[in-house]
Amino acid sequence: MDVRADGSGRDAEEAGGESVFTVLVAAAANLGIALAKAVAGVISGSSAMLSEAAHSFADTVTELLLLASLKRSDKPADEEHPLGYGGERYVWALLAAVATFVGGAVFSLYDGIHTLVAGEELGDPLVSYVVLGIAFVLEGLSLRTAVKQARGEAARHRAPFGTYLRHTPDTAVKAVVLEDSAALAGLLLAAGGLLGGQLTGSGVWDGVASLCIGVLLLWVAWVLGRSNAELLVGRPLPKPIRDEVRTIVLGVEHVEAVLELTTLVQGPREALVAAKVDFRDASTAAQIEWACEDASRRIRERFPAVRRVFLDPTPGFAARRTEGLNPW
């Protein structure tokens, strides 16, 4: 979770700008690569190259949807959306995962099956090899940009790169890293299909390569779709952060216990904290008010991404009665 313990609003803006730049680089690279692959696929007659063209076109659409998600989710809260537009990021990112599935995986699987059943006439693979080589360099540069940002974020949170990538709510960067990694693997598969067909004169290798590309894209679409769906449904802050928030509230004067703590990730740099708090019975209304304000301030200072803190003074016996226990 991208909740900074030592960050600032400027850090959040810089991270958001990095995400936009990362997606723009990926979109520009994929559009050029998609056109080149399509031309090479037509000239060579390779189904794997056509699958790779569909893959790159799908990635381009994905990046455009991710850009829309970054812009739409950045709007400030208003009367109609008091909690802001952070969740809209994950709606568009989920649509991007669907685009990867429909535009890339389905076409690749269909083309691979069609090639295995009907066969194909192989043309000159030289153009395809050149395009694959150029595409590999461009995809590698795009992946390098995404990985650089992700590693920087992981280092700021003192988390291993793999752990950060699995759990980060910045699904735009996660999508670019996964899609560019899959693109590099797909290029190797397409090259293997071309080489196998060139050496054996059979289109089976090309068809198998296309099927493998389709399966690879299915996996990427599944991972991204599941991540965004989880965030749309509602994901809490990580347990270590929840435990620290609870400790902060308990450390405030007049607080007896935290009866219930609810947290919600609303975006890569935006979260909500709500809690039912049992205050000392002897505390005055003014003391409870100032205790709530003090707890909110401490939580925001420790975790600047926590934008909203709601504390509900609740008698401890009332909570136990709700749970069906004897309050006395």
Side-chain angles (χ1 to χ4, degrees), residues 124-139:
D124 185 1
L126 179 60
V127 175
S128 294
Y129 284 129
V130 172
V131 169
L132 288 174
I134 295 173
F136 196 89
V137 173
L138 293 176
E139 293 284 10

Side-chain angles (χ1 to χ4, degrees), residues 3 18 46 87 96 111 143 149 154 225 256 288:
V3 176
E18 287 179 359
S46 167
D111 206 38
L143 178 61
Q149 181 185 348
E256 287 284 350
I288 291 175

Side-chain angles (χ1 to χ4, degrees), residues 190-221:
L194 283 171
L195 182 60
Q198 188 178 7
L199 294 176
T200 64
S202 171
V204 171
W205 291 92
D206 211 38
V208 171
S210 186
L211 287 175
C212 290
I213 292 169
V215 172
L216 181 63
L217 291 176
L218 275 179
W219 175 78
V220 171

Side-chain angles (χ1 to χ4, degrees), residues 67-295:
L67 282 174
S69 78
L70 293 173
K71 294 298 182 183
R72 298 279 299 177
S73 64
D74 200 38
K75 295 190 297 182
D78 53 37
E79 187 175 349
E80 296 297 324
H81 298 83
L83 297 182
Y85 292 80
E88 194 162 351
R89 169 187 293 252
Y90 303 120
V91 174
W92 289 92
L94 183 61
L95 292 176
V98 173
T100 299
F101 171 76
V102 176
V106 172
F107 179 85
S108 298
L109 292 172
Y110 166 78
D111 206 38
I113 293 172
H114 181 267
T115 298
L116 291 176
V117 173
E120 68 178 9
E121 294 184 7
L122 299 176
D124 185 1
L126 179 60
V127 175
S128 294
Y129 284 129
V130 172
V131 169
L132 288 174
I134 295 173
F136 196 89
V137 173
L138 293 176
E139 293 284 10
L141 292 174
S142 176
L143 178 61
R144 180 185 177 187
T145 301
V147 169
K148 181 180 179 181
Q149 181 185 348
R151 285 192 183 280
E153 292 293 321
R156 275 194 283 270
H157 297 95
R158 301 180 182 88
F161 175 72
T163 301
Y164 172 81
L165 200 63
R166 281 196 302 273
H167 299 290
T168 177
D170 193 348
T171 52
V173 173
K174 182 175 184 175
V176 174
V177 171
L178 287 180
E179 288 170 357
D180 284 350
S181 299
L184 291 176
L187 291 171
L188 294 176
L189 289 170
L194 283 171
L195 182 60
Q198 188 178 7
L199 294 176
T200 64
S202 171
V204 171
W205 291 92
D206 211 38
V208 171
S210 186
L211 287 175
C212 290
I213 292 169
V215 172
L216 181 63
L217 291 176
L218 275 179
W219 175 78
V220 171
W222 165 254
V223 171
L224 294 178
R226 183 180 60 182
S227 297
N228 286 288
E230 182 183 70
L231 287 159
L232 277 173
V233 171
R235 194 173 83 183
L237 293 172
K239 189 176 186 304
I241 295 180
R242 298 200 304 269
D243 291 342
E244 191 166 350
V245 168
R246 186 184 296 272
T247 300
I248 290 173
V249 177
L250 286 172
V252 173
E253 189 178 3
H254 302 292
V255 172
E256 287 284 350
V258 177
L259 305 174
E260 182 181 331
L261 177 65
T262 301
T263 64
L264 179 66
V265 175
Q266 296 180 289
R269 286 157 289 279
E270 188 173 355
L272 176 149
V273 169
K276 287 183 176 294
V277 181
D278 181 19
F279 291 91
R280 293 173 184 168
D281 294 337
S283 300
T284 65
Q287 288 172 329
I288 291 175
E289 289 172 353
W290 281 110
C292 289
E293 186 64 25
D294 188 26

Side-chain angles (χ1 to χ4, degrees), residues 309-327:
V309 179
F310 302 104
L311 301 180
D312 177 19
T314 305
F317 76 86
R320 290 192 293 271
R321 184 171 55 193
T322 301
E323 295 171 0
L325 301 177
N326 187 343

